[in-house]
């Protein structure tokens, strides 16, 4: 694997091989601690990030690499430098891999056609966030052993969510049933073709789910009004305490972060016994170590 641009096109065996490799990189593991010794990984974040950027940085350092952290803020992007000029100039400094987040869907794919080093998609617009889906699948596999026959309910702003798209592809490839739930205006066309079932009735879907993945309401990507108010969205699609009590015994609560506390997820549920949100973050380092090891 030279690049990681998306989950689309991956076969089950390929996903499982990557997740198996990540097992060797769990936080206390030391597999291949020097595989990137003397090499540089460049984090290029044209959009803000906490979890993805820091965990790719930690993952690269744990493999022995030096890390170049570049963000668009404070860069020559403000002077009009193009995406391709920016990445070509950074590539000229010698990294073995570019980890790219960009607001435009397809940006990492474009970059991959113009550079020689590996390109890893750290989230492109509303398209894909492949490393997030892999760490989510890894987290579920740690709890369940395998995903076959399990139901994952993805709730909220699916229209703007690259996490939802990558997860539908990844989780269904691994044998899970995925149900996408949100207001009709936030359910994009094409979900069934991706492999998901679709519903607008959270209360009916909730008791069937083995895991509920709440998504952030991405107000920054919304140029029009998709629902009457945030309060109305929360009332119909927020996972509050009363709703969480209707979940199956042992069912898990997930969120890719950052959380709008009190909107898509109540603080008591986010921090409650069902929540695996911080496990997702911890597992992200192991999964990103495996990705860097394979791509670099
Ligand atoms: N899950 C995720 O992508 O979080 P960040 O935006 O903080 O990287």
């Amino acid at each position: 694997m030279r690049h990681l641009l998306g989950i689309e096109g991956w076969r089950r065996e390929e996903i499982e091989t990557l997740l198996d490799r990540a097992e060797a990189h769990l936080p206390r593991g030391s597999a291949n601690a020097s595989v990137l010794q003397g090499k540089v990984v460049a984090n290029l974040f044209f959009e803000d990030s906490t979890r993805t950027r820091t965990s790719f940085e930690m993952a690269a350092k744990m493999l022995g690499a030096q890390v170049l952290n570049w963000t668009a803020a404070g860069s020559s992007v403000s002077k009009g430098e193009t995406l391709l000029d920016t990445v070509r100039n950074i590539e000229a400094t010698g990294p073995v891999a570019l980890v790219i987040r960009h607001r435009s869907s397809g940006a990492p794919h474009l970059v991959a056609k113009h550079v020689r080093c590996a390109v890893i998609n750290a989230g492109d617009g509303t398209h894909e966030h492949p490393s997030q889906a892999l760490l989510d699948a890894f987290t579920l596999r740690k709890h369940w052993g395998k995903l076959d026959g399990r139901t994952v309910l993805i709730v909220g702003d699916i229209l703007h969510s690259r996490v939802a798209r990558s997860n539908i592809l990844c989780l269904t490839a691994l044998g899970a049933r995925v149900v996408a739930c949100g207001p009709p205006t936030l359910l994009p066309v094409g979900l069934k073709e991706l492999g998901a079932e679709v519903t607008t009735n959270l209360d009916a879907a909730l008791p069937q789910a083995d895991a509920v993945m709440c998504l952030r309401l991405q107000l920054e990507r919304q140029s029009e009004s998709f629902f009457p108010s945030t309060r109305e969205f929360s009332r119909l699609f927020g996972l509050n305490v009363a709703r969480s009590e209707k979940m199956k015994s042992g069912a898990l609560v997930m969120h890719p972060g950052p959380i709008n506390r009190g909107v898509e997820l109540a603080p008591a549920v986010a921090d409650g016994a069902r929540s695996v949100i911080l496990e997702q973050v911890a597992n992200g380092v192991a999964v990103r170590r495996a990705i860097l090891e394979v791509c670099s």
Side-chain angles (χ1 to χ4, degrees):
M1 185 169 84
R2 179 156 170 245
H3 305 299
L4 174 60
L5 299 176
I7 300 295
E8 191 169 6
W10 277 45
R11 295 192 309 271
R12 178 178 183 141
E13 313 80 75
E14 294 167 325
I15 297 170
E16 287 178 340
T17 300
L18 194 285
L19 300 184
D20 290 345
R21 185 181 280 267
E23 291 282 351
H25 289 295
L26 279 174
R28 279 188 286 278
S30 61
N32 285 326
S34 59
V35 72
L36 295 185
Q37 196 79 45
K39 297 181 178 174
V40 176
V41 171
N43 276 336
L44 308 186
F45 279 68
F46 293 82
E47 264 193 346
D48 295 343
S49 167
T50 293
R51 283 145 289 270
T52 311
R53 192 181 64 73
T54 52
S55 62
F56 266 116
E57 178 174 357
M58 283 192 67
K61 287 179 172 170
M62 290 165 97
L63 293 174
Q66 306 273 341
V67 178
L68 169 70
N69 277 313
W70 177 96
T71 55
S75 77
S76 290
V77 168
S78 66
K79 302 172 197 164
E81 189 160 32
T82 67
L83 168 64
L84 287 182
D85 278 341
T86 301
V87 295
R88 280 191 185 123
N89 277 270
I90 289 176
E91 190 195 21
T93 68
V96 290
L98 304 176
V99 178
I100 298 184
R101 171 170 288 189
H102 200 281
R103 66 184 172 282
S104 299
S105 300
H109 305 68
L110 176 69
V111 169
K113 289 183 183 153
H114 291 87
V115 297
R116 285 178 298 280
C117 61
V119 176
I120 297 167
N121 181 359
D124 63 324
T126 58
H127 180 226
E128 281 228 39
H129 193 347
S131 64
Q132 179 71 45
L134 291 165
L135 74 88
D136 290 337
F138 185 83
T139 301
L140 292 174
R141 216 175 68 148
K142 296 294 289 174
H143 279 267
W144 299 338
K146 57 190 175 86
L147 274 63
D148 298 273
R150 298 286 190 164
T151 296
V152 180
L153 178 62
I154 304 181
V155 186
D157 183 358
I158 301 195
L159 179 67
H160 300 100
S161 179
R162 53 199 177 205
V163 173
R165 189 178 155 79
S166 288
N167 260 302
I168 292 168
L169 293 165
C170 187
L171 300 178
T172 56
L174 293 173
R177 172 180 173 235
V178 176
V179 182
C181 177
T185 49
L186 291 177
L187 292 169
V189 293
L191 288 172
K192 288 184 186 156
E193 289 72 15
L194 281 182
E197 295 170 36
V198 178
T199 181
T200 55
N201 189 339
L202 176 57
D203 291 307
L206 208 52
Q208 303 170 20
D210 296 293
V212 179
M213 184 183 295
C214 300
L215 298 176
R216 184 172 67 88
L217 198 52
Q218 299 195 37
L219 294 169
E220 78 278 16
R221 295 194 205 279
Q222 298 181 16
S223 55
E224 54 188 289
S225 188
F226 289 90
F227 41 84
S229 67
T230 304
R231 193 169 161 193
E232 178 78 352
F233 172 87
S234 184
R235 190 176 69 76
L236 292 172
F237 296 100
L239 187 57
N240 54 31
V241 173
R243 281 208 173 98
S244 75
E245 287 166 358
K246 293 184 191 156
M247 290 171 64
K248 274 186 193 174
S249 165
L252 306 173
V253 171
M254 308 177 81
H255 194 301
I259 301 169
N260 290 314
R261 286 177 175 260
V263 179
E264 68 267 4
L265 191 52
V269 183
D271 304 327
R274 295 179 181 281
S275 174
V276 295
I277 293 169
L278 293 179
E279 280 178 44
Q280 291 172 260
V281 178
N283 290 334
V285 180
V287 169
R288 287 169 175 138
R289 283 174 76 176
I291 291 168
L292 286 170
E293 189 185 35
V294 170
C295 289
S296 302

